[in-house]
Amino acid sequence: MTSSRTTTASSLDPAVAARLKRGADGLVPAIAQQYDTGEVLMMGWMDDEALHRTLTTGRCTYWSRSRQEYWVKGDTSGHFQYVKSVALDCDADTVLVKVDQVGAACHTGDRTCFDADVLATEDHRGQ
């Protein structure tokens, strides 16, 4: 399914846009990580325009697949993500955004989206 977001022009640097490997929906996963501790906070989706906004505003902007709109982390919750750095992985199909997270990163109120459902730990593998 193609939405207007994937067909509208973006202000993303064309050199960066040319490197991105997007899914069929025009999106790439974006991992948010606490810049000073390495804590993995959450995963969201970005298209070219969301990445452009993230790079130029210093605040993480994501694409909501359910609402079909852009959202800036913290605008409604007050739990802001201030961008420290942005990098592509070696395949250019995932974005890593190192942020200074203010408050909870997860919409449930947890610090990270990976706190509540641990499937394995080093001491309990395969049990």
Side-chain angles (χ1 to χ4, degrees), residues 21-23 27-31 43-46 62 93-96:
K21 293 180 185 167
R22 301 161 199 79
L27 301 173
V28 294
I31 305 297
M43 191 283 286
W45 295 99
M46 290 185 181
Y62 299 98
D93 63 359
T94 303
V95 176
L96 176 65

Side-chain angles (χ1 to χ4, degrees), residues 2 5-6 28-29 32 40 43-44 47-48 52-53 55 72-75 82 87 91 103 107 115 117 119 125-127:
T2 303
R5 133 191 87 67
T6 59
V28 294
V40 177
M43 191 283 286
D47 65 0
D48 289 20
H52 167 72
R53 292 178 189 188
L55 291 168
V72 178
K73 183 67 176 171
D75 274 0
Y82 296 104
D91 295 321
H107 70 279
D115 285 346
D117 198 5
L119 300 179
R125 284 190 209 135
Q127 294 183 9

Side-chain angles (χ1 to χ4, degrees), residues 81-100:
Q81 289 178 342
Y82 296 104
V83 176
K84 296 293 188 175
S85 69
V86 180
L88 289 176
D89 76 336
C90 59
D91 295 321
D93 63 359
T94 303
V95 176
L96 176 65
V97 186
K98 292 188 178 181
V99 301
D100 188 8

